[in-house]
Amino acid sequence: VQLQASGGGLVQPGGSLRLFCTASGFTLDYYAVGWFRQAPGKEREWVSCTSRGDFSTYYADSVEGRFTVSRDVAKNTVYLQMDSLESDDTAIYYCMADRTFCTIMRTRSYHTWGQGTQVTVSS
């Protein structure tokens, strides 16, 4: 069972990136999938989530209107489309799957994380 985030890179302010969360060994359909990020010197924070079942989406205020989370069921992948990127978005991004609600994932403490992906927004 493995969950991996990828797709990060270096982008200029105002640019876009698309992150991928891929699962192996289990089906993401039955899980809420959350995106989290950790900037240098800061605690990890919740960014976005897509719920299990109806695939509803949720966003932190700081990314609302700029980020979009979505799923490709056939590819067992969750995406995070990030537009209008700002320097404050610079962080390592992680994804997490949980058989719970997005509202719970938002504040739950997780101790085991998969590989994250570095996003750097800089001119």
Side-chain angles (χ1 to χ4, degrees):
V1 175
Q2 190 174 6
L3 198 64
Q4 181 171 340
S6 62
L10 173 64
V11 62
Q12 292 185 342
S16 297
L17 277 176
R18 192 183 197 192
L19 303 185
F20 304 81
C21 177
T22 55
S24 58
F26 68 104
T27 302
L28 285 174
D29 298 10
Y30 306 115
Y31 292 79
V33 178
W35 285 96
F36 298 77
R37 67 186 181 186
Q38 187 166 20
K42 296 185 177 181
E43 293 186 354
R44 199 181 326 246
E45 64 174 352
W46 174 83
V47 173
S48 180
C49 185
T50 171
S51 66
R52 58 180 178 166
D54 63 359
F55 299 164
S56 297
T57 58
Y58 303 84
Y59 302 94
D61 290 345
S62 59
V63 306
E64 179 82 52
R66 300 188 297 119
F67 289 12
T68 304
V69 62
S70 61
R71 294 179 185 250
D72 186 326
V73 172
K75 294 183 178 179
N76 204 28
T77 300
V78 171
Y79 306 100
L80 185 67
Q81 177 68 38
M82 305 187 298
D83 299 316
S84 302
L85 282 162
E86 304 168 353
S87 57
D88 286 347
D89 296 318
T90 295
I92 300 175
Y93 284 71
Y94 302 86
C95 58
M96 176 62 70
D98 199 344
R99 283 185 177 243
T100 185
F101 301 100
C102 281
T103 49
I104 293 176
M105 285 194 76
R106 184 170 186 161
T107 57
R108 177 169 283 183
S109 294
Y110 296 96
H111 303 291
T112 303
W113 293 86
Q115 181 177 342
T117 185
Q118 176 70 51
V119 172
T120 303
V121 184
S122 175
S123 55

